[in-house]
């Protein structure tokens, strides 16, 4: 980081005591109050990484693009180089948003779908192909995100690592791993035995080094293809495969539920800020099929 930078002296004794801020494999578990944004930004600015955000807006989900990008410009990796890769079947519905310097939008066309499950799983296929053909030469870090989200507070370089995953807000306090909604049928590639598991991660926000993300996205794609051949679809689609992978290949950073909350859940004591909030949506209205 740069010489002469002014910031509060870090303490050995003081810090968050209401939550655990380290995993049992010694990876940071990131909460507000566990990092100094000035120090973090200065460290990462030196590398000036190119950050890719991969989002899908297929069918009626294009309505979420405007708020996602506009709030992203306010809170996501401010002052860093960001490209939003928008995968859509309605190019004409991608809004024109004024972006800060060093930031841009790239539109990629994907087919429409009749089942939402095909869209959420299809993300793994199209992202694998796009990283291979294009993004690999344009980015250092990649994030995969749901589009039905708005940024509300800093989502910055403290989230960067080789592989960073976010605790699902609905399960981060679940005491018993048997209650995680992992895939429990041994016939599926995403199967996790009842007595295994660390955390339950959301598939709505995850990121890391381009090559590590490529490996994981491709893994989810390939596992779901095997499932398809065996006529089975994992309980929570790519989220189930993601959780299986992260159990046996531990993430290098775990981001607290601050990184993905939602508009309709009560905020808990330990969540001091909400960085992304999922928008309340009418599933029946936006999805092409119901179940
Ligand atoms: C908070 C959380 O854990 N979210 C997960 C949950 O999300 P959700 O219930 O929030 O799923 P969702 O409807 O937002 O779908 C996931 C994403 O796929 C895209 N999309 C989906 C349908 C469609 O017709 N068009 C379209 O573009 C869009 O980017 C959307 O944000 O379950 C999904 C599949 O089981 C994914 O695992 C999500 O990551
Ligand atoms: Mn969503």
């Amino acid at each position: 980081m740069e010489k002469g930078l002014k910031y509060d002296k870090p303490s050995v004794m003081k810090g968050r005591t209401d939550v655990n801020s380290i995993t049992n494999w010694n990876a940071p578990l990131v909460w507000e109050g566990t990092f100094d944004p000035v120090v973090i930004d200065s460290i990462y600015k030196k590398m000036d990484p190119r950050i890719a955000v991969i989002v899908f807006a297929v069918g009626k989900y294009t309505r979420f693009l405007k708020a996602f990008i506009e709030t992203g410009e306010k809170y996501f990796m401010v002052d860093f180089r960001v490209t939003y890769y928008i995968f859509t079947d309605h190019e004409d519905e991608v809004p024109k948003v004024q972006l800060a310097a060093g930031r841009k939008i790239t539109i990629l066309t994907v087919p429409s779908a009749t089942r939402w499950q095909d869209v959420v799983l299809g993300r793994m296929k199209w992202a694998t192909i796009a990283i291979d053909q294009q993004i690999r030469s344009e980015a250092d870090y990649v994030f995969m995100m749901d589009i039905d989200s708005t940024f509300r507070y800093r989502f910055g370089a403290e989230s960067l690592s080789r592989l960073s995953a976010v605790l699902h807000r609905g399960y981060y306090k679940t005491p018993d791993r048997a209650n995680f909604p992992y895939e429990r049928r041994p016939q599926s590639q995403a199967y996790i035995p009842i007595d295994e598991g660390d955390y339950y991660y959301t598939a709505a926000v995850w990121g890391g080094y381009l090559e590590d993300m490529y490996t994981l996205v491709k893994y989810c794609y390939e596992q779901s293809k095997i499932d398809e051949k065996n006529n089975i679809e994992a309980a929570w689609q790519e989220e189930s495969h993601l959780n299986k992978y992260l159990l046996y290949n531990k993430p290098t950073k775990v981001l607290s539920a601050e990184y993905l909350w939602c508009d309709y859940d009560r905020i808990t004591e330990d969540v001091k800020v909400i960085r992304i909030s999922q928008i309340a949506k009418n599933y029946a209205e936006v999805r092409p099929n119901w179940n």
Side-chain angles (χ1 to χ4, degrees), residues 117-188:
Q117 293 91 335
D118 294 339
V119 181
V120 298
L121 271 175
R123 295 190 284 185
M124 303 302 114
K125 173 183 172 181
W126 300 115
T128 301
I129 295 171
I131 293 172
D132 249 343
Q133 293 181 348
Q134 179 176 1
I135 303 173
R136 174 169 281 128
S137 61
E138 300 177 351
D140 304 302
Y141 287 96
V142 175
F143 277 89
M144 300 284 299
M145 291 189 185
D146 269 20
I147 197 65
D148 57 337
S149 319
T150 54
F151 294 87
R152 298 286 175 82
Y153 195 79
R154 176 195 164 97
F155 188 131
E158 75 285 352
S159 65
L160 298 172
S161 83
R162 236 183 124 146
L163 206 50
S164 304
V166 177
L167 299 182
H168 193 296
R169 64 169 198 288
Y171 302 95
Y172 79 100
K173 287 186 177 173
T174 300
D176 186 352
R177 45 164 69 105
N179 294 326
F180 288 147
Y182 293 148
E183 174 56 63
R184 300 300 189 180
R185 295 166 297 176
Q187 297 79 5
S188 168

Side-chain angles (χ1 to χ4, degrees), residues 9 37 55 158 182 185 201 235 239 281:
K9 182 199 169 295
V55 284
E158 75 285 352
Y182 293 148
R185 295 166 297 176
Y201 305 101
E239 192 167 84
K281 64 180 188 288

Side-chain angles (χ1 to χ4, degrees), residues 56 58 61 146-148 202-204 237-239 281 283 287:
F56 283 71
V58 174
Y61 281 64
D146 269 20
I147 197 65
D148 57 337
T202 176
Q237 290 80 33
E238 84 292 359
E239 192 167 84
K281 64 180 188 288
Y283 280 98
R287 284 182 167 176

